[in-house]
Amino acid sequence: MLNHFASHFDTEKKTVMICDDERDLLQLFGKALKSTYNVILVGSGEDCIEKFIDEKYRGNKIHLLLLDYSLGSMHGDTVARKIKEYNGTKIILISGYDLDYTFVKDLEENKYIAKYIEKPIFINSLIELVADTIS
């Protein structure tokens, strides 16, 4: 189980959770965002749901979730649907696969995800996308 938790949240910063089973990408995205946001890294869909619920019950708001689509034992849309049951956290779904347009549109229209992007993604583009979505 890969988990990285800020020992304490900076209440001045918004919190971004990043869920990806590719450890290198997870670390890269985390490093790119940690100067601006509280960052929580999780390496599976199951850990993402569990950690999200834990933080919610501790009173820590997750403002944005960067969520990979292909997570091994679970797909990102399943995670997004589960997270939506708990609150209105914005989710950016990221995929290395060419997902079906109507599938993605359905996720957006039903407010499971705020945005969808395909890999590869440049770090500067990711930082801008996060800033635009989280505001």
Side-chain angles (χ1 to χ4, degrees), residues 19-22 25 29 65-71 74-77 91-100 103-104 107 113 115-121 126 129:
C19 180
D20 200 314
D21 61 349
E22 290 182 53
L25 270 182
F29 290 172
L65 171 59
L66 286 176
L67 178 62
D68 187 39
Y69 176 74
S70 181
L71 295 167
M74 186 180 280
H75 285 124
D77 64 303
I91 297 175
I92 298 174
L93 187 65
I94 303 170
S95 180
Y97 302 96
D98 187 17
L99 297 181
D100 180 69
F103 173 71
V104 172
L107 291 172
I113 64 171
K115 294 193 167 115
Y116 166 72
I117 54 171
E118 290 183 7
K119 292 178 183 175
I121 180 168
L126 178 73
L129 182 63

PDB file of all heavy atoms in Angstrom, residues 19-22 25 29 65-71 74-77 91-100 103-104 107 113 115-121 126 129:
ATOM      1  N   CYS A  19      -4.345   9.852  -7.264  1.00  0.00           N
ATOM      2  CA  CYS A  19      -4.462   8.404  -7.257  1.00  0.00           C
ATOM      3  C   CYS A  19      -3.982   7.847  -8.591  1.00  0.00           C
ATOM      4  O   CYS A  19      -4.595   8.095  -9.631  1.00  0.00           O
ATOM      5  CB  CYS A  19      -5.915   7.990  -7.012  1.00  0.00           C
ATOM      6  SG  CYS A  19      -6.160   6.202  -6.998  1.00  0.00           S
ATOM      7  N   ASP A  20      -2.867   7.127  -8.538  1.00  0.00           N
ATOM      8  CA  ASP A  20      -2.315   6.495  -9.739  1.00  0.00           C
ATOM      9  C   ASP A  20      -1.509   5.289  -9.297  1.00  0.00           C
ATOM     10  O   ASP A  20      -0.793   5.357  -8.302  1.00  0.00           O
ATOM     11  CB  ASP A  20      -1.418   7.485 -10.502  1.00  0.00           C
ATOM     12  CG  ASP A  20      -1.206   7.086 -11.955  1.00  0.00           C
ATOM     13  OD1 ASP A  20      -0.919   5.895 -12.208  1.00  0.00           O
ATOM     14  OD2 ASP A  20      -1.319   7.956 -12.824  1.00  0.00           O
ATOM     15  N   ASP A  21      -1.633   4.185 -10.016  1.00  0.00           N
ATOM     16  CA  ASP A  21      -0.873   2.991  -9.643  1.00  0.00           C
ATOM     17  C   ASP A  21       0.530   2.980 -10.247  1.00  0.00           C
ATOM     18  O   ASP A  21       1.321   2.093  -9.959  1.00  0.00           O
ATOM     19  CB  ASP A  21      -1.638   1.702  -9.981  1.00  0.00           C
ATOM     20  CG  ASP A  21      -1.941   1.549 -11.461  1.00  0.00           C
ATOM     21  OD1 ASP A  21      -1.748   2.517 -12.230  1.00  0.00           O
ATOM     22  OD2 ASP A  21      -2.384   0.460 -11.848  1.00  0.00           O
ATOM     23  N   GLU A  22       0.841   3.967 -11.071  1.00  0.00           N
ATOM     24  CA  GLU A  22       2.203   4.122 -11.589  1.00  0.00           C
ATOM     25  C   GLU A  22       2.968   5.010 -10.613  1.00  0.00           C
ATOM     26  O   GLU A  22       2.790   6.229 -10.586  1.00  0.00           O
ATOM     27  CB  GLU A  22       2.190   4.754 -12.975  1.00  0.00           C
ATOM     28  CG  GLU A  22       1.640   3.850 -14.056  1.00  0.00           C
ATOM     29  CD  GLU A  22       1.699   4.513 -15.421  1.00  0.00           C
ATOM     30  OE1 GLU A  22       2.788   4.976 -15.811  1.00  0.00           O
ATOM     31  OE2 GLU A  22       0.643   4.577 -16.070  1.00  0.00           O
ATOM     32  N   LEU A  25       4.796   8.266 -11.845  1.00  0.00           N
ATOM     33  CA  LEU A  25       3.882   9.376 -12.167  1.00  0.00           C
ATOM     34  C   LEU A  25       3.302   9.984 -10.898  1.00  0.00           C
ATOM     35  O   LEU A  25       3.182  11.201 -10.785  1.00  0.00           O
ATOM     36  CB  LEU A  25       2.737   8.891 -13.056  1.00  0.00           C
ATOM     37  CG  LEU A  25       2.951   8.949 -14.549  1.00  0.00           C
ATOM     38  CD1 LEU A  25       1.701   8.474 -15.283  1.00  0.00           C
ATOM     39  CD2 LEU A  25       3.352  10.332 -15.014  1.00  0.00           C
ATOM     40  N   PHE A  29       3.772  13.890 -10.146  1.00  0.00           N
ATOM     41  CA  PHE A  29       2.622  14.791  -9.980  1.00  0.00           C
ATOM     42  C   PHE A  29       2.624  15.407  -8.581  1.00  0.00           C
ATOM     43  O   PHE A  29       2.348  16.592  -8.410  1.00  0.00           O
ATOM     44  CB  PHE A  29       1.299  14.053 -10.219  1.00  0.00           C
ATOM     45  CG  PHE A  29       1.046  13.646 -11.642  1.00  0.00           C
ATOM     46  CD1 PHE A  29      -0.033  12.842 -11.951  1.00  0.00           C
ATOM     47  CD2 PHE A  29       1.868  14.041 -12.686  1.00  0.00           C
ATOM     48  CE1 PHE A  29      -0.299  12.454 -13.257  1.00  0.00           C
ATOM     49  CE2 PHE A  29       1.615  13.660 -14.002  1.00  0.00           C
ATOM     50  CZ  PHE A  29       0.526  12.859 -14.280  1.00  0.00           C
ATOM     51  N   LEU A  65      -9.428  15.738  -6.810  1.00  0.00           N
ATOM     52  CA  LEU A  65      -8.857  14.410  -6.941  1.00  0.00           C
ATOM     53  C   LEU A  65      -8.373  14.227  -8.373  1.00  0.00           C
ATOM     54  O   LEU A  65      -9.167  14.342  -9.310  1.00  0.00           O
ATOM     55  CB  LEU A  65      -9.901  13.346  -6.589  1.00  0.00           C
ATOM     56  CG  LEU A  65      -9.559  11.880  -6.866  1.00  0.00           C
ATOM     57  CD1 LEU A  65      -8.298  11.451  -6.112  1.00  0.00           C
ATOM     58  CD2 LEU A  65     -10.734  10.983  -6.512  1.00  0.00           C
ATOM     59  N   LEU A  66      -7.072  13.980  -8.540  1.00  0.00           N
ATOM     60  CA  LEU A  66      -6.517  13.586  -9.835  1.00  0.00           C
ATOM     61  C   LEU A  66      -6.564  12.075  -9.850  1.00  0.00           C
ATOM     62  O   LEU A  66      -5.907  11.423  -9.034  1.00  0.00           O
ATOM     63  CB  LEU A  66      -5.063  14.049  -9.977  1.00  0.00           C
ATOM     64  CG  LEU A  66      -4.824  15.516 -10.221  1.00  0.00           C
ATOM     65  CD1 LEU A  66      -3.326  15.799 -10.241  1.00  0.00           C
ATOM     66  CD2 LEU A  66      -5.447  15.962 -11.522  1.00  0.00           C
ATOM     67  N   LEU A  67      -7.321  11.500 -10.750  1.00  0.00           N
ATOM     68  CA  LEU A  67      -7.648  10.087 -10.703  1.00  0.00           C
ATOM     69  C   LEU A  67      -7.310   9.385 -12.006  1.00  0.00           C
ATOM     70  O   LEU A  67      -7.860   9.719 -13.057  1.00  0.00           O
ATOM     71  CB  LEU A  67      -9.152   9.954 -10.396  1.00  0.00           C
ATOM     72  CG  LEU A  67      -9.765   8.578 -10.325  1.00  0.00           C
ATOM     73  CD1 LEU A  67      -9.134   7.753  -9.207  1.00  0.00           C
ATOM     74  CD2 LEU A  67     -11.270   8.704 -10.118  1.00  0.00           C
ATOM     75  N   ASP A  68      -6.403   8.422 -11.934  1.00  0.00           N
ATOM     76  CA  ASP A  68      -6.075   7.629 -13.111  1.00  0.00           C
ATOM     77  C   ASP A  68      -7.240   6.686 -13.403  1.00  0.00           C
ATOM     78  O   ASP A  68      -7.911   6.212 -12.484  1.00  0.00           O
ATOM     79  CB  ASP A  68      -4.788   6.830 -12.855  1.00  0.00           C
ATOM     80  CG  ASP A  68      -4.300   6.106 -14.101  1.00  0.00           C
ATOM     81  OD1 ASP A  68      -4.390   6.694 -15.200  1.00  0.00           O
ATOM     82  OD2 ASP A  68      -3.823   4.975 -13.976  1.00  0.00           O
ATOM     83  N   TYR A  69      -7.475   6.415 -14.677  1.00  0.00           N
ATOM     84  CA  TYR A  69      -8.590   5.537 -15.049  1.00  0.00           C
ATOM     85  C   TYR A  69      -8.262   4.068 -14.793  1.00  0.00           C
ATOM     86  O   TYR A  69      -9.056   3.337 -14.223  1.00  0.00           O
ATOM     87  CB  TYR A  69      -8.988   5.742 -16.510  1.00  0.00           C
ATOM     88  CG  TYR A  69     -10.068   4.783 -16.933  1.00  0.00           C
ATOM     89  CD1 TYR A  69     -11.378   4.956 -16.497  1.00  0.00           C
ATOM     90  CD2 TYR A  69      -9.776   3.676 -17.732  1.00  0.00           C
ATOM     91  CE1 TYR A  69     -12.367   4.055 -16.835  1.00  0.00           C
ATOM     92  CE2 TYR A  69     -10.772   2.778 -18.083  1.00  0.00           C
ATOM     93  CZ  TYR A  69     -12.060   2.971 -17.638  1.00  0.00           C
ATOM     94  OH  TYR A  69     -13.046   2.080 -17.967  1.00  0.00           O
ATOM     95  N   SER A  70      -7.086   3.651 -15.205  1.00  0.00           N
ATOM     96  CA  SER A  70      -6.725   2.241 -15.090  1.00  0.00           C
ATOM     97  C   SER A  70      -5.906   2.011 -13.822  1.00  0.00           C
ATOM     98  O   SER A  70      -4.737   2.374 -13.746  1.00  0.00           O
ATOM     99  CB  SER A  70      -5.922   1.805 -16.313  1.00  0.00           C
ATOM    100  OG  SER A  70      -5.595   0.445 -16.213  1.00  0.00           O
ATOM    101  N   LEU A  71      -6.539   1.415 -12.821  1.00  0.00           N
ATOM    102  CA  LEU A  71      -5.916   1.240 -11.507  1.00  0.00           C
ATOM    103  C   LEU A  71      -5.753  -0.234 -11.142  1.00  0.00           C
ATOM    104  O   LEU A  71      -5.855  -0.598  -9.982  1.00  0.00           O
ATOM    105  CB  LEU A  71      -6.748   1.952 -10.437  1.00  0.00           C
ATOM    106  CG  LEU A  71      -6.820   3.465 -10.557  1.00  0.00           C
ATOM    107  CD1 LEU A  71      -7.906   4.023  -9.651  1.00  0.00           C
ATOM    108  CD2 LEU A  71      -5.469   4.078 -10.224  1.00  0.00           C
ATOM    109  N   MET A  74      -9.347  -1.927 -10.153  1.00  0.00           N
ATOM    110  CA  MET A  74     -10.528  -1.052 -10.153  1.00  0.00           C
ATOM    111  C   MET A  74     -10.329   0.050 -11.195  1.00  0.00           C
ATOM    112  O   MET A  74      -9.225   0.515 -11.391  1.00  0.00           O
ATOM    113  CB  MET A  74     -10.674  -0.437  -8.752  1.00  0.00           C
ATOM    114  CG  MET A  74     -11.915   0.384  -8.542  1.00  0.00           C
ATOM    115  SD  MET A  74     -11.991   1.073  -6.844  1.00  0.00           S
ATOM    116  CE  MET A  74     -12.571  -0.343  -5.925  1.00  0.00           C
ATOM    117  N   HIS A  75     -11.418   0.451 -11.839  1.00  0.00           N
ATOM    118  CA  HIS A  75     -11.334   1.556 -12.794  1.00  0.00           C
ATOM    119  C   HIS A  75     -11.687   2.885 -12.125  1.00  0.00           C
ATOM    120  O   HIS A  75     -12.455   2.909 -11.158  1.00  0.00           O
ATOM    121  CB  HIS A  75     -12.270   1.319 -13.985  1.00  0.00           C
ATOM    122  CG  HIS A  75     -11.744   0.291 -14.926  1.00  0.00           C
ATOM    123  ND1 HIS A  75     -12.454  -0.815 -15.262  1.00  0.00           N
ATOM    124  CD2 HIS A  75     -10.562   0.198 -15.595  1.00  0.00           C
ATOM    125  CE1 HIS A  75     -11.747  -1.555 -16.099  1.00  0.00           C
ATOM    126  NE2 HIS A  75     -10.591  -0.960 -16.309  1.00  0.00           N
ATOM    127  N   GLY A  76     -11.140   3.953 -12.661  1.00  0.00           N
ATOM    128  CA  GLY A  76     -11.347   5.287 -12.109  1.00  0.00           C
ATOM    129  C   GLY A  76     -12.799   5.712 -12.050  1.00  0.00           C
ATOM    130  O   GLY A  76     -13.197   6.432 -11.138  1.00  0.00           O
ATOM    131  N   ASP A  77     -13.610   5.290 -13.024  1.00  0.00           N
ATOM    132  CA  ASP A  77     -15.019   5.687 -12.982  1.00  0.00           C
ATOM    133  C   ASP A  77     -15.730   5.081 -11.772  1.00  0.00           C
ATOM    134  O   ASP A  77     -16.603   5.709 -11.183  1.00  0.00           O
ATOM    135  CB  ASP A  77     -15.741   5.351 -14.289  1.00  0.00           C
ATOM    136  CG  ASP A  77     -15.811   3.866 -14.573  1.00  0.00           C
ATOM    137  OD1 ASP A  77     -14.749   3.213 -14.624  1.00  0.00           O
ATOM    138  OD2 ASP A  77     -16.940   3.353 -14.759  1.00  0.00           O
ATOM    139  N   ILE A  91     -13.219  16.058  -9.613  1.00  0.00           N
ATOM    140  CA  ILE A  91     -12.345  14.968 -10.039  1.00  0.00           C
ATOM    141  C   ILE A  91     -11.904  15.203 -11.485  1.00  0.00           C
ATOM    142  O   ILE A  91     -12.731  15.489 -12.358  1.00  0.00           O
ATOM    143  CB  ILE A  91     -13.064  13.606  -9.934  1.00  0.00           C
ATOM    144  CG1 ILE A  91     -13.427  13.312  -8.476  1.00  0.00           C
ATOM    145  CG2 ILE A  91     -12.203  12.489 -10.530  1.00  0.00           C
ATOM    146  CD1 ILE A  91     -14.256  12.052  -8.275  1.00  0.00           C
ATOM    147  N   ILE A  92     -10.594  15.092 -11.693  1.00  0.00           N
ATOM    148  CA  ILE A  92     -10.044  15.088 -13.043  1.00  0.00           C
ATOM    149  C   ILE A  92      -9.637  13.651 -13.329  1.00  0.00           C
ATOM    150  O   ILE A  92      -8.783  13.093 -12.638  1.00  0.00           O
ATOM    151  CB  ILE A  92      -8.827  16.022 -13.179  1.00  0.00           C
ATOM    152  CG1 ILE A  92      -9.224  17.478 -12.903  1.00  0.00           C
ATOM    153  CG2 ILE A  92      -8.206  15.886 -14.575  1.00  0.00           C
ATOM    154  CD1 ILE A  92      -8.042  18.451 -12.866  1.00  0.00           C
ATOM    155  N   LEU A  93     -10.266  13.050 -14.321  1.00  0.00           N
ATOM    156  CA  LEU A  93      -9.955  11.683 -14.713  1.00  0.00           C
ATOM    157  C   LEU A  93      -8.852  11.724 -15.767  1.00  0.00           C
ATOM    158  O   LEU A  93      -8.940  12.467 -16.747  1.00  0.00           O
ATOM    159  CB  LEU A  93     -11.208  10.997 -15.272  1.00  0.00           C
ATOM    160  CG  LEU A  93     -11.103   9.507 -15.573  1.00  0.00           C
ATOM    161  CD1 LEU A  93     -10.876   8.707 -14.285  1.00  0.00           C
ATOM    162  CD2 LEU A  93     -12.356   9.013 -16.284  1.00  0.00           C
ATOM    163  N   ILE A  94      -7.817  10.918 -15.544  1.00  0.00           N
ATOM    164  CA  ILE A  94      -6.660  10.882 -16.436  1.00  0.00           C
ATOM    165  C   ILE A  94      -6.535   9.466 -16.994  1.00  0.00           C
ATOM    166  O   ILE A  94      -6.653   8.499 -16.240  1.00  0.00           O
ATOM    167  CB  ILE A  94      -5.366  11.232 -15.663  1.00  0.00           C
ATOM    168  CG1 ILE A  94      -5.493  12.603 -14.990  1.00  0.00           C
ATOM    169  CG2 ILE A  94      -4.156  11.190 -16.590  1.00  0.00           C
ATOM    170  CD1 ILE A  94      -4.361  12.917 -14.026  1.00  0.00           C
ATOM    171  N   SER A  95      -6.301   9.366 -18.299  1.00  0.00           N
ATOM    172  CA  SER A  95      -6.170   8.028 -18.870  1.00  0.00           C
ATOM    173  C   SER A  95      -5.127   7.969 -19.964  1.00  0.00           C
ATOM    174  O   SER A  95      -4.980   8.908 -20.747  1.00  0.00           O
ATOM    175  CB  SER A  95      -7.510   7.556 -19.435  1.00  0.00           C
ATOM    176  OG  SER A  95      -7.365   6.257 -19.988  1.00  0.00           O
ATOM    177  N   GLY A  96      -4.420   6.859 -20.005  1.00  0.00           N
ATOM    178  CA  GLY A  96      -3.497   6.575 -21.090  1.00  0.00           C
ATOM    179  C   GLY A  96      -4.211   5.875 -22.235  1.00  0.00           C
ATOM    180  O   GLY A  96      -3.627   5.593 -23.268  1.00  0.00           O
ATOM    181  N   TYR A  97      -5.481   5.576 -22.032  1.00  0.00           N
ATOM    182  CA  TYR A  97      -6.290   4.903 -23.037  1.00  0.00           C
ATOM    183  C   TYR A  97      -7.223   5.903 -23.696  1.00  0.00           C
ATOM    184  O   TYR A  97      -7.605   6.902 -23.099  1.00  0.00           O
ATOM    185  CB  TYR A  97      -7.141   3.792 -22.400  1.00  0.00           C
ATOM    186  CG  TYR A  97      -6.316   2.763 -21.692  1.00  0.00           C
ATOM    187  CD1 TYR A  97      -6.105   2.842 -20.325  1.00  0.00           C
ATOM    188  CD2 TYR A  97      -5.734   1.721 -22.394  1.00  0.00           C
ATOM    189  CE1 TYR A  97      -5.331   1.896 -19.663  1.00  0.00           C
ATOM    190  CE2 TYR A  97      -4.952   0.770 -21.749  1.00  0.00           C
ATOM    191  CZ  TYR A  97      -4.758   0.870 -20.385  1.00  0.00           C
ATOM    192  OH  TYR A  97      -3.994  -0.055 -19.743  1.00  0.00           O
ATOM    193  N   ASP A  98      -7.628   5.595 -24.904  1.00  0.00           N
ATOM    194  CA  ASP A  98      -8.593   6.425 -25.614  1.00  0.00           C
ATOM    195  C   ASP A  98      -9.983   5.973 -25.190  1.00  0.00           C
ATOM    196  O   ASP A  98     -10.524   5.013 -25.730  1.00  0.00           O
ATOM    197  CB  ASP A  98      -8.387   6.261 -27.126  1.00  0.00           C
ATOM    198  CG  ASP A  98      -9.245   7.218 -27.933  1.00  0.00           C
ATOM    199  OD1 ASP A  98      -9.754   8.205 -27.356  1.00  0.00           O
ATOM    200  OD2 ASP A  98      -9.416   6.967 -29.135  1.00  0.00           O
ATOM    201  N   LEU A  99     -10.539   6.628 -24.178  1.00  0.00           N
ATOM    202  CA  LEU A  99     -11.851   6.227 -23.661  1.00  0.00           C
ATOM    203  C   LEU A  99     -12.960   6.692 -24.603  1.00  0.00           C
ATOM    204  O   LEU A  99     -12.856   7.723 -25.259  1.00  0.00           O
ATOM    205  CB  LEU A  99     -12.074   6.821 -22.268  1.00  0.00           C
ATOM    206  CG  LEU A  99     -11.116   6.361 -21.169  1.00  0.00           C
ATOM    207  CD1 LEU A  99     -11.467   7.017 -19.838  1.00  0.00           C
ATOM    208  CD2 LEU A  99     -11.094   4.852 -21.030  1.00  0.00           C
ATOM    209  N   ASP A 100     -14.017   5.934 -24.623  1.00  0.00           N
ATOM    210  CA  ASP A 100     -15.167   6.225 -25.471  1.00  0.00           C
ATOM    211  C   ASP A 100     -15.761   7.594 -25.122  1.00  0.00           C
ATOM    212  O   ASP A 100     -16.008   7.892 -23.945  1.00  0.00           O
ATOM    213  CB  ASP A 100     -16.222   5.129 -25.279  1.00  0.00           C
ATOM    214  CG  ASP A 100     -17.446   5.360 -26.135  1.00  0.00           C
ATOM    215  OD1 ASP A 100     -17.330   5.242 -27.365  1.00  0.00           O
ATOM    216  OD2 ASP A 100     -18.512   5.684 -25.563  1.00  0.00           O
ATOM    217  N   PHE A 103     -18.972   7.599 -23.077  1.00  0.00           N
ATOM    218  CA  PHE A 103     -18.699   7.175 -21.702  1.00  0.00           C
ATOM    219  C   PHE A 103     -18.201   8.359 -20.874  1.00  0.00           C
ATOM    220  O   PHE A 103     -18.697   8.633 -19.783  1.00  0.00           O
ATOM    221  CB  PHE A 103     -17.654   6.046 -21.731  1.00  0.00           C
ATOM    222  CG  PHE A 103     -17.151   5.617 -20.388  1.00  0.00           C
ATOM    223  CD1 PHE A 103     -17.964   4.908 -19.518  1.00  0.00           C
ATOM    224  CD2 PHE A 103     -15.858   5.915 -19.991  1.00  0.00           C
ATOM    225  CE1 PHE A 103     -17.491   4.500 -18.276  1.00  0.00           C
ATOM    226  CE2 PHE A 103     -15.382   5.512 -18.758  1.00  0.00           C
ATOM    227  CZ  PHE A 103     -16.208   4.805 -17.900  1.00  0.00           C
ATOM    228  N   VAL A 104     -17.228   9.098 -21.413  1.00  0.00           N
ATOM    229  CA  VAL A 104     -16.668  10.263 -20.726  1.00  0.00           C
ATOM    230  C   VAL A 104     -17.729  11.349 -20.570  1.00  0.00           C
ATOM    231  O   VAL A 104     -17.869  11.949 -19.505  1.00  0.00           O
ATOM    232  CB  VAL A 104     -15.430  10.807 -21.478  1.00  0.00           C
ATOM    233  CG1 VAL A 104     -14.969  12.131 -20.893  1.00  0.00           C
ATOM    234  CG2 VAL A 104     -14.304   9.777 -21.451  1.00  0.00           C
ATOM    235  N   LEU A 107     -20.016  10.599 -17.730  1.00  0.00           N
ATOM    236  CA  LEU A 107     -19.381  10.882 -16.438  1.00  0.00           C
ATOM    237  C   LEU A 107     -19.398  12.383 -16.135  1.00  0.00           C
ATOM    238  O   LEU A 107     -19.638  12.784 -14.996  1.00  0.00           O
ATOM    239  CB  LEU A 107     -17.943  10.364 -16.423  1.00  0.00           C
ATOM    240  CG  LEU A 107     -17.756   8.842 -16.419  1.00  0.00           C
ATOM    241  CD1 LEU A 107     -16.287   8.488 -16.595  1.00  0.00           C
ATOM    242  CD2 LEU A 107     -18.315   8.227 -15.150  1.00  0.00           C
ATOM    243  N   ILE A 113     -17.202  13.418 -12.819  1.00  0.00           N
ATOM    244  CA  ILE A 113     -15.895  14.035 -13.062  1.00  0.00           C
ATOM    245  C   ILE A 113     -16.094  15.461 -13.564  1.00  0.00           C
ATOM    246  O   ILE A 113     -17.105  15.778 -14.187  1.00  0.00           O
ATOM    247  CB  ILE A 113     -15.032  13.236 -14.068  1.00  0.00           C
ATOM    248  CG1 ILE A 113     -15.674  13.200 -15.456  1.00  0.00           C
ATOM    249  CG2 ILE A 113     -14.750  11.831 -13.541  1.00  0.00           C
ATOM    250  CD1 ILE A 113     -14.771  12.624 -16.545  1.00  0.00           C
ATOM    251  N   LYS A 115     -13.412  17.009 -15.306  1.00  0.00           N
ATOM    252  CA  LYS A 115     -12.665  17.065 -16.558  1.00  0.00           C
ATOM    253  C   LYS A 115     -12.044  15.709 -16.842  1.00  0.00           C
ATOM    254  O   LYS A 115     -11.836  14.898 -15.947  1.00  0.00           O
ATOM    255  CB  LYS A 115     -11.559  18.109 -16.484  1.00  0.00           C
ATOM    256  CG  LYS A 115     -12.081  19.518 -16.369  1.00  0.00           C
ATOM    257  CD  LYS A 115     -10.990  20.539 -16.617  1.00  0.00           C
ATOM    258  CE  LYS A 115     -11.614  21.892 -16.806  1.00  0.00           C
ATOM    259  NZ  LYS A 115     -11.411  22.899 -15.939  1.00  0.00           N
ATOM    260  N   TYR A 116     -11.710  15.515 -18.113  1.00  0.00           N
ATOM    261  CA  TYR A 116     -11.028  14.299 -18.552  1.00  0.00           C
ATOM    262  C   TYR A 116      -9.832  14.721 -19.401  1.00  0.00           C
ATOM    263  O   TYR A 116      -9.956  15.572 -20.269  1.00  0.00           O
ATOM    264  CB  TYR A 116     -11.983  13.429 -19.372  1.00  0.00           C
ATOM    265  CG  TYR A 116     -11.287  12.343 -20.144  1.00  0.00           C
ATOM    266  CD1 TYR A 116     -10.745  11.241 -19.487  1.00  0.00           C
ATOM    267  CD2 TYR A 116     -11.162  12.412 -21.524  1.00  0.00           C
ATOM    268  CE1 TYR A 116     -10.089  10.244 -20.187  1.00  0.00           C
ATOM    269  CE2 TYR A 116     -10.508  11.415 -22.232  1.00  0.00           C
ATOM    270  CZ  TYR A 116      -9.976  10.334 -21.561  1.00  0.00           C
ATOM    271  OH  TYR A 116      -9.328   9.355 -22.252  1.00  0.00           O
ATOM    272  N   ILE A 117      -8.677  14.119 -19.118  1.00  0.00           N
ATOM    273  CA  ILE A 117      -7.491  14.387 -19.934  1.00  0.00           C
ATOM    274  C   ILE A 117      -6.793  13.070 -20.254  1.00  0.00           C
ATOM    275  O   ILE A 117      -6.905  12.100 -19.505  1.00  0.00           O
ATOM    276  CB  ILE A 117      -6.499  15.356 -19.241  1.00  0.00           C
ATOM    277  CG1 ILE A 117      -6.123  14.858 -17.840  1.00  0.00           C
ATOM    278  CG2 ILE A 117      -7.039  16.757 -19.188  1.00  0.00           C
ATOM    279  CD1 ILE A 117      -5.000  15.637 -17.206  1.00  0.00           C
ATOM    280  N   GLU A 118      -6.103  13.067 -21.379  1.00  0.00           N
ATOM    281  CA  GLU A 118      -5.369  11.877 -21.792  1.00  0.00           C
ATOM    282  C   GLU A 118      -3.885  12.051 -21.525  1.00  0.00           C
ATOM    283  O   GLU A 118      -3.344  13.145 -21.640  1.00  0.00           O
ATOM    284  CB  GLU A 118      -5.595  11.611 -23.279  1.00  0.00           C
ATOM    285  CG  GLU A 118      -7.004  11.154 -23.591  1.00  0.00           C
ATOM    286  CD  GLU A 118      -7.210  10.827 -25.067  1.00  0.00           C
ATOM    287  OE1 GLU A 118      -6.227  10.817 -25.845  1.00  0.00           O
ATOM    288  OE2 GLU A 118      -8.365  10.575 -25.435  1.00  0.00           O
ATOM    289  N   LYS A 119      -3.227  10.949 -21.157  1.00  0.00           N
ATOM    290  CA  LYS A 119      -1.781  10.927 -21.018  1.00  0.00           C
ATOM    291  C   LYS A 119      -1.194  10.840 -22.418  1.00  0.00           C
ATOM    292  O   LYS A 119      -1.835  10.291 -23.300  1.00  0.00           O
ATOM    293  CB  LYS A 119      -1.335   9.707 -20.204  1.00  0.00           C
ATOM    294  CG  LYS A 119      -1.748   9.743 -18.750  1.00  0.00           C
ATOM    295  CD  LYS A 119      -1.294   8.456 -18.072  1.00  0.00           C
ATOM    296  CE  LYS A 119      -1.748   8.393 -16.630  1.00  0.00           C
ATOM    297  NZ  LYS A 119      -1.420   7.111 -16.003  1.00  0.00           N
ATOM    298  N   PRO A 120      -0.015  11.300 -22.657  1.00  0.00           N
ATOM    299  CA  PRO A 120       0.859  11.952 -21.678  1.00  0.00           C
ATOM    300  C   PRO A 120       0.408  13.387 -21.421  1.00  0.00           C
ATOM    301  O   PRO A 120      -0.188  14.022 -22.288  1.00  0.00           O
ATOM    302  CB  PRO A 120       2.229  11.930 -22.359  1.00  0.00           C
ATOM    303  CG  PRO A 120       1.914  11.966 -23.824  1.00  0.00           C
ATOM    304  CD  PRO A 120       0.623  11.201 -23.980  1.00  0.00           C
ATOM    305  N   ILE A 121       0.695  13.860 -20.230  1.00  0.00           N
ATOM    306  CA  ILE A 121       0.364  15.243 -19.893  1.00  0.00           C
ATOM    307  C   ILE A 121       1.636  15.934 -19.418  1.00  0.00           C
ATOM    308  O   ILE A 121       2.413  15.368 -18.658  1.00  0.00           O
ATOM    309  CB  ILE A 121      -0.754  15.330 -18.826  1.00  0.00           C
ATOM    310  CG1 ILE A 121      -1.066  16.784 -18.510  1.00  0.00           C
ATOM    311  CG2 ILE A 121      -0.405  14.549 -17.586  1.00  0.00           C
ATOM    312  CD1 ILE A 121      -2.320  17.009 -17.713  1.00  0.00           C
ATOM    313  N   LEU A 126      -0.580  20.239 -16.454  1.00  0.00           N
ATOM    314  CA  LEU A 126      -1.228  19.677 -15.274  1.00  0.00           C
ATOM    315  C   LEU A 126      -1.418  20.749 -14.204  1.00  0.00           C
ATOM    316  O   LEU A 126      -2.504  20.885 -13.635  1.00  0.00           O
ATOM    317  CB  LEU A 126      -0.412  18.515 -14.708  1.00  0.00           C
ATOM    318  CG  LEU A 126      -0.974  17.884 -13.441  1.00  0.00           C
ATOM    319  CD1 LEU A 126      -2.218  17.064 -13.758  1.00  0.00           C
ATOM    320  CD2 LEU A 126       0.069  17.029 -12.755  1.00  0.00           C
ATOM    321  N   LEU A 129      -4.174  23.069 -15.282  1.00  0.00           N
ATOM    322  CA  LEU A 129      -5.471  22.402 -15.218  1.00  0.00           C
ATOM    323  C   LEU A 129      -5.961  22.297 -13.775  1.00  0.00           C
ATOM    324  O   LEU A 129      -7.128  22.558 -13.490  1.00  0.00           O
ATOM    325  CB  LEU A 129      -5.363  21.008 -15.853  1.00  0.00           C
ATOM    326  CG  LEU A 129      -6.632  20.192 -15.905  1.00  0.00           C
ATOM    327  CD1 LEU A 129      -7.688  20.872 -16.786  1.00  0.00           C
ATOM    328  CD2 LEU A 129      -6.344  18.804 -16.434  1.00  0.00           C
TER     329      LEU A 129
END
